[in-house]
Amino acid sequence: MCGIVGLFQPEPSRGADETRHVLQSMTDTLRHRGPDDAGVWVDDRGVIALGHRRLSILDLSREGRQPMRSACGRYVVTYNGEIYNFAALRDELETLGHAFRGHSDTEVMLAAVSRWGLDQALSRFNGMFAFALWDRGTGRLHLVRDRLGEKPLYYGWCGRTFLFASELKALEAHPQFKNDINRNALALFMRHNCVPAPYSIYEGVFKLPPGMMLTLSERLQGSVPEPVPYWSAKEAAERGAADPFTGSEDEAVCRLEALLLEAVKLRMVADVPLGAFLSGGIDSSTVVALMQAQSDRPVKTFTIGFHEAQYDEAVYARKVAGHLGTDHTELYVTPRQALDVIPRLPTLYDEPFADSSQIPTFLVSELARQHVTVSLSGDGGDELFAGYNRYVWGRSIWRKIGWMPMGLRRGVAKGITALSPMSWGAVFDRFGSVLPTVQSPGDKLHKLAELLGVEDPDALYAGLASHWKQPTQVVIGAIEPPTLLTDRPRWARLDDCALRMMFLDLVTYLPDDILVKLDRASMAVSLEARVPLLDHRVAEFAWRLPVAMKIRGGQGKWALRQVLKKYLPLELVDRHKMGFGVPIDSWLRGPLRDWAEDLLDERRLDKDGFFNPRPIREKWAEHLSGRRNWQHHLWDVLMFQ
């Protein structure tokens, strides 16, 4: 895993030596992504300059250094990620007469592009990557991001210079960079708790969306062409729905198991110590089980626990590790250790990011890095196999309320909101023997009241995906720009509302939130995180599985659970999903109260000029009183502040 940097200046305003100096400064900001080595390459005219920070995983020798030039001399690449099937590609290329000097996947990547061209090579790559490829023959620069968005890539013009990098901090190091806040992107952040692609928090700076390629040439001074897809999640979902798996359930489970075994095996190739995150949930347990089944020694596994029972999964992880026989390490985190991460968050993320599970994700990465350099993760299983509760109960709720006239639904919603969440909590406490056990029942009932007013199940999803429902009333001077979530023609044509939710999560929530969180948290401690469930062959097969093989008996991940039941006893498989969170709600009323009060001070908000203080202060007062739990809305504001 690495960090990449580059600049492209069709009309160089500085010489090659000065360009090299600027590039070196930008590259140095990414040392955490690649502490083992660094390299820069500048062409003779100073038109193109590529920088690289290396975390050595494969071919630890100098033959794996980047930026790297192809054997034919035509291409130069700076590359972040892994091509997992590089060994098979190398064998094929050797039979075609290609000779290799080292053993890195980077050299194989360049040879594949030289032999087959970029488009065909991309179709053959199985991996996670973001790279910049300079074609000396055509004078074109290609920026490419992997299919599902595991690796990041930012870009934009800075005067007459086009910049790109793995993280915003590298762009900020350019002497002419302007850090003007994009208020429209800030409004999107307040809605989604992250800044969705293609936007960034800065004006004129963008993220390359997953599965896309952006090509520039010297004649395109100052303009940025539209990225073009080389792989489409929309097409994969629609193909899967049009060509569903027709074998038996046993055959489907066996096929899924075989694909997962291969995906895990490919991601266990490394020349450095390797392990896995283990929460005890379905996804991470499946990954670890398949790792251990293919390893001749105990797999190193890592988990963190919390002393607050409702946030603690470590007990389940311990049981899974014990059954599988892994070399397990766990750390019970004190509130002080978790709180100490908060001052580091702006440096880790560069732009506002308010998924509070960023804290435990960093802590488990930090724990793992003390023992290994590569760690496999179970991310992606929820989006591909229907793991989120909203797929199950959102579908169920709409079936129950969709027939009701809007007036009746609004009346029911009004009745629910007549009692505060705190009052509903008291009702559940008093009648707990006859009511279901629900965490924060009042907040969930008020959430239900919001959903009762939606027009269709797609609007229901939009409500679930929103924190601040009217963010332009909070962000001064903002106009909420279009996103994939608001552009329905770009959605996959899927009949079932649960499948549409899964698709939207796969192309928005997963790359913009989950994978950003994993990349920044792991890279902050120079740890490479690999995600076997996002092997594109697994993703494409998952879309072929009927809904009944995903959601069954009011529970998601049916097919994945059947695979896991081959390796773990039933009691470790059939349990309710827990989130990977921290008690932000109580911290804001306790140890974080003074810190938050300072950042949410009405005079400060007014002086900064980004937020309308009134709705923020209202939610802060309600949260402190215990009448409502506004932790997510407040955390959005606090992370920007």
Side-chain angles (χ1 to χ4, degrees):
M1 196 64 61
C2 307
I4 67 171
V5 179
L7 53 86
F8 178 54
Q9 39 194 12
E11 298 176 3
S13 58
R14 51 174 61 91
D17 288 343
E18 187 179 353
T19 296
R20 182 182 297 274
H21 175 73
V22 170
L23 183 70
Q24 187 69 63
S25 297
M26 296 171 67
T27 304
D28 287 346
T29 66
L30 300 183
R31 190 180 188 282
H32 55 286
R33 296 186 73 93
D36 299 328
D37 197 5
V40 297
W41 176 86
V42 183
D43 79 331
D44 295 338
R45 294 186 298 148
V47 169
I48 182 73
L50 305 177
H52 189 264
R53 289 292 324 193
R54 186 183 183 197
L55 177 63
S56 301
I57 303 295
L58 294 168
D59 191 352
L60 309 185
S61 74
R62 293 180 62 85
E63 298 298 340
R65 294 192 72 189
Q66 295 186 48
M68 185 182 291
R69 185 181 298 185
S70 64
C72 65
R74 175 175 172 176
Y75 300 102
V76 185
V77 73
T78 183
Y79 150 57
N80 167 30
E82 303 286 349
I83 304 298
Y84 298 118
N85 62 333
F86 79 98
L89 292 173
R90 178 187 175 114
D91 290 343
E92 184 177 356
L93 288 162
E94 284 180 331
T95 64
L96 295 172
H98 194 93
F100 292 89
R101 63 181 183 274
H103 303 281
S104 71
D105 57 336
T106 312
E107 190 178 0
V108 173
M109 169 193 278
L110 284 167
V113 173
S114 300
R115 180 74 191 193
W116 297 309
L118 180 56
D119 290 338
Q120 190 176 349
L122 283 170
S123 70
R124 291 169 175 256
F125 292 161
N126 181 344
M128 59 175 181
F129 48 80
F131 65 83
L133 181 77
W134 174 243
D135 185 339
R136 303 173 75 195
T138 62
R140 291 182 176 179
L141 174 67
H142 303 284
L143 302 183
V144 185
R145 192 175 179 201
D146 61 61
R147 293 173 178 86
L148 290 165
E150 294 180 58
K151 293 294 103 187
L153 190 54
Y154 293 86
Y155 65 88
W157 284 96
C158 180
R160 294 188 173 186
T161 303
F162 181 83
L163 306 177
F164 58 89
S166 298
E167 297 182 17
L168 282 171
K169 57 176 60 68
L171 304 187
E172 294 169 352
H174 191 278
Q176 295 176 326
F177 184 81
K178 296 181 179 180
N179 59 346
D180 297 330
I181 297 296
N182 183 338
R183 290 174 182 261
N184 298 341
L186 177 56
L188 290 176
F189 164 73
M190 295 291 281
R191 181 181 292 279
H192 300 297
N193 82 249
C194 58
V195 181
Y199 307 103
S200 86
I201 197 61
Y202 293 132
E203 293 279 2
V205 179
F206 304 93
K207 302 183 185 86
L208 187 62
M212 293 281 191
M213 175 166 58
L214 179 72
T215 300
L216 292 98
S217 64
E218 293 187 39
R219 60 184 177 81
L220 292 174
Q221 172 74 41
S223 64
V224 180
E226 283 293 315
V228 296
Y230 66 87
W231 185 86
S232 166
K234 176 178 182 289
E235 292 177 3
E238 291 176 344
R239 279 197 311 269
D243 181 29
F245 185 81
T246 57
S248 68
E249 290 181 347
D250 286 344
E251 289 170 335
V253 172
C254 287
R255 175 62 178 152
L256 177 59
E257 182 185 18
L259 285 170
L260 290 172
L261 279 165
E262 175 66 13
V264 168
K265 182 179 180 180
L266 285 175
R267 286 156 182 80
M268 291 175 68
V269 177
D271 295 332
V272 293
L274 174 142
F277 300 140
L278 178 60
S279 69
I282 300 299
D283 302 333
S284 66
S285 296
T286 300
V287 169
V288 170
L290 299 179
M291 290 176 72
Q292 193 59 71
Q294 302 179 92
S295 177
D296 58 3
R297 65 185 68 179
V299 171
K300 294 180 182 296
T301 53
F302 307 94
T303 190
I304 59 170
F306 291 93
H307 296 287
E308 297 87 350
Q310 67 269 37
Y311 294 95
D312 184 37
E313 280 195 295
V315 61
Y316 300 108
R318 192 181 313 127
K319 291 177 180 178
V320 171
H323 184 85
L324 295 175
T326 70
D327 178 4
H328 191 57
T329 301
E330 67 178 30
L331 171 69
Y332 266 81
V333 177
T334 66
R336 183 72 264 161
Q337 287 173 292
L339 294 171
D340 285 345
V341 176
I342 293 174
R344 303 180 62 177
L345 295 177
T347 303
L348 297 183
Y349 289 91
D350 293 337
E351 62 181 351
F353 183 80
D355 182 336
S356 60
S357 62
Q358 62 201 142
I359 295 172
T361 304
F362 172 81
L363 290 168
V364 75
S365 297
E366 188 176 50
L367 173 65
R369 188 61 178 95
Q370 297 172 23
H371 305 269
V372 299
T373 310
V374 177
S375 185
L376 273 61
S377 171
D379 293 292
D382 289 313
E383 293 80 2
L384 290 173
F385 298 99
Y388 294 128
N389 293 330
R390 58 178 169 263
Y391 305 145
V392 180
W393 61 257
R395 190 171 179 242
S396 174
I397 285 174
W398 187 253
R399 286 177 174 175
K400 292 174 182 175
I401 70 170
W403 61 272
M404 296 169 59
M406 181 64 78
L408 178 58
R409 280 193 265 144
R410 287 176 176 164
V412 174
K414 188 175 181 180
I416 291 173
T417 55
L419 285 180
S420 70
M422 183 184 294
S423 298
W424 277 116
V427 170
F428 272 71
D429 288 341
R430 183 169 183 179
F431 300 100
S433 60
V434 295
L435 291 174
T437 302
V438 180
Q439 188 177 346
S440 304
D443 287 309
K444 287 183 169 61
L445 282 169
H446 274 243
K447 188 80 169 177
L448 173 61
E450 291 178 12
L451 301 179
L452 286 170
V454 302
E455 297 178 356
D456 58 36
D458 295 329
L460 184 149
Y461 175 83
L464 292 172
S466 300
H467 283 194
W468 293 84
K469 300 297 189 291
Q470 301 293 332
T472 55
Q473 295 179 7
V474 184
V475 181
I476 297 171
I479 299 173
E480 202 168 354
T483 66
L484 201 156
L485 287 177
T486 61
D487 190 359
R488 292 198 182 193
R490 294 169 61 193
W491 295 7
R493 295 184 296 274
L494 301 165
D495 293 335
D496 192 288
C497 68
L499 290 178
R500 290 196 298 277
M501 288 185 185
M502 291 168 59
F503 167 76
L504 291 172
D505 277 339
L506 185 72
V507 295
T508 59
Y509 179 58
L510 178 70
D512 293 331
D513 183 320
I514 300 299
L515 295 177
V516 169
K517 175 181 63 180
L518 179 66
D519 175 81
R520 302 307 192 281
S522 58
M523 283 285 88
V525 294
S526 306
L527 177 75
E528 172 164 309
R530 298 178 175 180
V531 191
L533 298 182
L534 292 184
D535 186 302
H536 69 279
R537 299 167 304 172
V538 173
E540 289 167 354
F541 180 73
W543 281 112
R544 295 188 62 207
L545 292 176
V547 177
M549 291 191 191
K550 296 176 180 176
I551 300 174
R552 186 175 298 190
Q555 193 177 53
K557 296 185 183 173
W558 181 85
L560 206 56
R561 290 173 191 272
Q562 306 318 301
V563 172
L564 187 55
K565 285 176 182 177
K566 298 183 178 184
Y567 300 88
L568 289 179
L570 190 62
E571 63 269 19
L572 294 180
V573 178
D574 284 337
R575 67 179 186 86
H576 292 293
K577 180 180 179 63
M578 288 181 66
F580 192 43
V582 288
I584 293 293
D585 53 343
S586 60
W587 287 355
L588 288 175
R589 298 186 186 103
L592 287 180
R593 180 169 179 167
D594 290 343
W595 168 79
E597 183 63 66
D598 180 56
L599 291 172
L600 300 178
D601 181 83
E602 186 169 1
R603 291 165 298 180
R604 178 173 181 164
L605 293 173
D606 190 59
K607 180 181 178 182
D608 290 344
F610 290 105
F611 292 129
N612 173 10
R614 183 176 177 180
I616 296 171
R617 294 299 302 181
E618 288 175 351
K619 283 183 167 46
W620 180 229
E622 288 185 345
H623 187 85
L624 290 178
S625 72
R627 296 195 305 272
R628 296 295 302 269
N629 179 5
W630 293 117
Q631 61 173 323
H632 300 303
H633 297 68
L634 294 168
W635 198 246
D636 294 337
V637 181
L638 289 165
M639 285 299 97
F640 178 79
Q641 291 294 87

